[in-house]
Amino acid sequence: MPHIDELVLDPPFNVTRAGHVVLDVRDLNASRHFYTELVGLVVSDEDDSAVYLRGLEERGHHSLVLRESSEATCACLGMRVRNEDDIFKAQDYFAAQGRTATLVEVPYQGLTLRVRDDAGVPLEFCASMEPRERMLKQYQHYRGASAQRLDHYQLQVSDIRQAWRFYQALGFRVSEYTYSTIGDRQHLWGVWLQRKGNPHDIVFTQGPGPRLHHFAYTLPDSNDMIRACDVAGALGYAPCLERGPGRHGISGALFTYFRDPDGHRIELFNTHYQHIDLEPALGWDLADPKRADQWGLPAQKKWFTEATPFTDVALTEPDIRVDPPTLERFLALANDG
Ligand SMILES: [Fe+2]
């Protein structure tokens, strides 16, 4: 078992960052409205069955694809690699492990490799997308939260160590992790893994999985988070505000979480830090209330229990259940006191 700080500095191929997420939604127009008017994403292309969106600073064609479907699931998570050679290296690497790794053509993307990780999460690796105008300075088009770029994914999986091993072998590094003490040993509850030099590209926490807990976009300023809440109230999306604004302990980000019309969860955040030097990972006890929110209020129970399944991927329950510190329990204890 590798140590949590063990590094793979010469990975088999070069993943550069979390790149795009594909969501199946039941009402394309309702989802399009949520992501353009509240989140502030820009439509790059659309047809009757799909909408391709990007953040205001993004040059690539899309970071979010919405597909009309009868089910609200996540079809895949995208990872960018440095160049097309990395696609072929990835294909060789996964084939040598006996995995099915298939080269496919995907609209608006360069050569794309599809493969599943050890938990069954469908992944797409691609090196390029059709370029579109970077809208960073087109302030007249800023709407809602003015989301700038996709930053990371967070997943629930039943086996944290299995997920960690898969991504660590691809050169992902742990920036922070959570644990709980059970008996005389520490049980790993979550790992924050990164390739691009900030705290995370992909996060795994323990739970029935695999499920997509949330995906996250950066905002230009903390004021944009307040504006997102104001716009949510004005447009009737107030019930979609699930958590925040608040300040994470892990990563230090100022955050807000919304649920979209299908219940897919999106985080809007800013102000996390660089993680480039080869520093040891930072560990947090799950019982530390400042881990999740420096301001003191834990998340509602549903934030821990509800998440998006992946399309046609069966769920597995974890061996050990850890009781999360919920807002409901926090309030019950406060009232008892
Ligand atoms: Fe997040």
Side-chain angles (χ1 to χ4, degrees):
M1 187 71 203
H3 186 271
I4 200 152
D5 285 317
E6 189 176 306
L7 306 177
V8 175
L9 294 175
D10 187 19
F13 58 97
N14 191 359
V15 178
T16 54
R17 64 179 178 88
H20 64 280
V21 57
V22 182
L23 296 180
D24 288 343
V25 301
R26 286 171 289 209
D27 183 336
L28 200 53
N29 285 332
S31 294
R32 184 190 192 283
H33 187 264
F34 176 90
Y35 284 104
T36 55
E37 304 308 307
L38 174 57
V39 179
L41 300 181
V42 177
V43 175
S44 295
D45 274 287
E46 60 186 320
D47 56 35
D48 289 343
S49 62
V51 182
Y52 297 82
L53 301 127
R54 70 186 191 280
L56 287 156
E57 73 171 55
E58 290 179 316
R59 187 93 161 91
H61 183 272
H62 53 265
S63 53
L64 173 63
V65 182
L66 306 172
R67 306 190 316 186
E68 180 111 335
S69 172
S70 58
E71 296 193 343
T73 55
C74 177
C76 77
L77 301 179
M79 292 285 179
R80 285 293 193 100
V81 296
R82 178 66 65 197
N83 59 35
E84 209 162 83
D85 278 351
D86 289 301
I87 299 288
F88 296 115
K89 288 179 184 173
Q91 185 182 31
D92 291 344
Y93 172 79
F94 291 125
Q97 296 178 337
R99 296 177 200 272
T100 302
T102 311
L103 291 173
V104 292
E105 292 198 7
V106 178
Y108 312 109
Q109 293 179 198
L111 190 65
T112 299
L113 183 72
R114 285 199 181 133
V115 69
R116 289 178 187 270
D117 72 9
D118 284 340
V121 175
L123 300 172
E124 275 190 358
F125 293 93
C126 74
S128 62
M129 288 186 181
E130 286 187 14
R132 288 291 187 271
E133 181 183 3
R134 199 186 296 281
M135 303 292 281
L136 181 65
K137 289 172 285 185
Q138 303 294 326
Y139 296 107
Q140 73 275 22
H141 296 299
Y142 277 43
R143 304 181 74 81
S146 309
Q148 297 287 299
R149 62 174 169 77
L150 179 73
D151 184 79
H152 64 266
Y153 315 117
Q154 183 162 325
L155 283 72
Q156 284 191 347
V157 291
S158 60
D159 189 336
I160 295 292
R161 287 177 185 271
Q162 179 193 57
W164 167 38
R165 274 196 296 267
F166 179 90
Y167 289 90
Q168 192 247 12
L170 304 184
F172 285 75
R173 289 173 50 208
V174 178
S175 59
E176 306 195 29
Y177 64 97
T178 55
Y179 62 88
S180 52
T181 304
I182 300 174
D184 59 354
R185 61 184 288 266
Q186 284 186 350
H187 175 72
L188 194 61
W189 192 81
V191 284
W192 278 246
L193 291 154
Q194 66 89 6
R195 281 292 296 169
K196 68 178 174 299
N198 69 14
H200 37 303
D201 285 287
I202 192 163
V203 177
F204 295 95
T205 60
Q206 182 177 283
R211 295 186 296 169
L212 177 63
H213 184 271
H214 68 264
F215 58 104
Y217 276 83
T218 62
L219 306 187
D221 196 279
S222 52
N223 289 338
D224 296 293
M225 214 163 299
I226 305 303
R227 178 165 167 75
C229 296
D230 278 340
V231 171
L235 293 181
Y237 288 126
C240 301
L241 174 57
E242 185 180 46
R243 185 181 174 197
R247 172 76 69 186
H248 282 311
I250 297 173
S251 86
L254 193 65
F255 67 85
T256 305
Y257 294 88
F258 285 95
R259 306 291 290 272
D260 81 1
D262 285 282
H264 302 308
R265 187 180 287 107
I266 181 171
E267 179 184 15
L268 303 171
F269 81 102
N270 67 4
T271 63
H272 63 178
Y273 59 88
Q274 280 192 173
H275 188 259
I276 295 171
D277 301 335
L278 302 183
E279 301 152 336
L282 179 63
W284 293 81
D285 191 321
L286 196 60
D288 183 347
K290 285 196 163 186
R291 168 194 61 84
D293 195 327
Q294 295 278 300
W295 298 347
L297 280 185
Q300 299 176 69
K301 184 180 179 185
K302 66 179 181 178
W303 193 88
F304 293 97
T305 59
E306 297 180 5
T308 297
F310 289 94
T311 312
D312 298 326
V313 179
L315 296 189
T316 306
E317 293 286 334
D319 290 340
I320 300 174
R321 278 201 171 274
V322 177
D323 218 6
T326 63
L327 178 63
E328 288 84 347
R329 200 196 319 163
F330 173 86
L331 293 175
L333 287 171
N335 290 333
D336 284 349

PDB file of all heavy atoms in Angstrom, residues 152 214 257 267, ligand 1:
ATOM      1  N   HIS A 152     -13.017  21.319 -10.548  1.00  0.00           N
ATOM      2  CA  HIS A 152     -12.841  19.975  -9.980  1.00  0.00           C
ATOM      3  C   HIS A 152     -14.154  19.218  -9.878  1.00  0.00           C
ATOM      4  O   HIS A 152     -15.236  19.780 -10.040  1.00  0.00           O
ATOM      5  CB  HIS A 152     -12.183  20.060  -8.595  1.00  0.00           C
ATOM      6  CG  HIS A 152     -12.994  20.765  -7.547  1.00  0.00           C
ATOM      7  ND1 HIS A 152     -12.856  22.108  -7.260  1.00  0.00           N
ATOM      8  CD2 HIS A 152     -13.955  20.311  -6.694  1.00  0.00           C
ATOM      9  CE1 HIS A 152     -13.684  22.438  -6.273  1.00  0.00           C
ATOM     10  NE2 HIS A 152     -14.372  21.364  -5.925  1.00  0.00           N
ATOM     11  N   HIS A 214     -20.459  16.491  -6.547  1.00  0.00           N
ATOM     12  CA  HIS A 214     -20.601  17.804  -7.181  1.00  0.00           C
ATOM     13  C   HIS A 214     -19.476  18.045  -8.165  1.00  0.00           C
ATOM     14  O   HIS A 214     -18.467  17.339  -8.170  1.00  0.00           O
ATOM     15  CB  HIS A 214     -20.643  18.928  -6.141  1.00  0.00           C
ATOM     16  CG  HIS A 214     -19.362  19.175  -5.386  1.00  0.00           C
ATOM     17  ND1 HIS A 214     -19.104  18.638  -4.138  1.00  0.00           N
ATOM     18  CD2 HIS A 214     -18.260  19.905  -5.698  1.00  0.00           C
ATOM     19  CE1 HIS A 214     -17.920  19.045  -3.717  1.00  0.00           C
ATOM     20  NE2 HIS A 214     -17.367  19.806  -4.654  1.00  0.00           N
ATOM     21  N   TYR A 257     -23.173  25.970  -2.596  1.00  0.00           N
ATOM     22  CA  TYR A 257     -23.623  24.794  -3.359  1.00  0.00           C
ATOM     23  C   TYR A 257     -25.077  24.977  -3.765  1.00  0.00           C
ATOM     24  O   TYR A 257     -25.924  25.317  -2.926  1.00  0.00           O
ATOM     25  CB  TYR A 257     -23.521  23.508  -2.529  1.00  0.00           C
ATOM     26  CG  TYR A 257     -22.104  23.112  -2.194  1.00  0.00           C
ATOM     27  CD1 TYR A 257     -21.482  23.597  -1.047  1.00  0.00           C
ATOM     28  CD2 TYR A 257     -21.387  22.246  -3.016  1.00  0.00           C
ATOM     29  CE1 TYR A 257     -20.184  23.234  -0.727  1.00  0.00           C
ATOM     30  CE2 TYR A 257     -20.088  21.871  -2.698  1.00  0.00           C
ATOM     31  CZ  TYR A 257     -19.501  22.374  -1.552  1.00  0.00           C
ATOM     32  OH  TYR A 257     -18.215  22.016  -1.232  1.00  0.00           O
ATOM     33  N   GLU A 267     -20.918  23.356  -7.219  1.00  0.00           N
ATOM     34  CA  GLU A 267     -20.278  24.260  -6.253  1.00  0.00           C
ATOM     35  C   GLU A 267     -19.776  25.483  -7.011  1.00  0.00           C
ATOM     36  O   GLU A 267     -19.168  25.351  -8.082  1.00  0.00           O
ATOM     37  CB  GLU A 267     -19.095  23.563  -5.565  1.00  0.00           C
ATOM     38  CG  GLU A 267     -18.377  24.467  -4.558  1.00  0.00           C
ATOM     39  CD  GLU A 267     -17.135  23.808  -3.942  1.00  0.00           C
ATOM     40  OE1 GLU A 267     -16.660  22.791  -4.479  1.00  0.00           O
ATOM     41  OE2 GLU A 267     -16.651  24.331  -2.927  1.00  0.00           O
TER      42      GLU A 267
HETATM   43 FE    FE B   1     -15.657  21.113  -4.230  1.00  0.00          FE
END
